[in-house]
Amino acid sequence: RDVAVLFSNRALARFLQNKFVESLADADECIRLQSSFLKGHFHRVRALLALGPDRADEAQRAFWRGLEAANGS
């Protein structure tokens, strides 16, 4: 879990630097390491939305996948 938290924190840091592609990559790695870690999904959704309206559908799917993973479904 510690490594997943590292990637989550770096996803946030990169998002705040407007490095949305890198933020998305870190969020994806966080989710790969610990799929039930809700913050990773949150950072993924936020990065996708920041990448523009053409990624909105993907962000919506990521949102629901995050909720499912957090609930253990």
Side-chain angles (χ1 to χ4, degrees):
R1 177 175 174 130
D2 291 340
V3 178
V5 171
L6 171 82
F7 278 100
S8 173
N9 290 341
R10 194 167 76 171
L12 173 59
R14 288 180 165 177
F15 181 87
L16 294 173
Q17 296 171 336
N18 295 325
K19 296 180 178 180
F20 305 127
V21 172
E22 294 89 344
S23 177
L24 178 60
D26 283 342
D28 286 342
E29 184 63 13
C30 174
I31 294 165
R32 187 189 72 74
L33 291 167
Q34 184 156 356
S35 63
S36 63
F37 189 44
L38 190 56
K39 278 189 177 182
H41 293 279
F42 172 75
H43 294 312
R44 176 173 169 68
V45 170
R46 203 156 74 153
L48 286 166
L49 290 173
L51 287 170
D54 58 318
R55 305 293 292 267
D57 288 342
E58 187 178 356
Q60 184 178 29
R61 289 189 301 274
F63 172 82
W64 291 112
R65 272 195 302 273
L67 286 181
E68 290 171 359
N71 288 326
S73 299

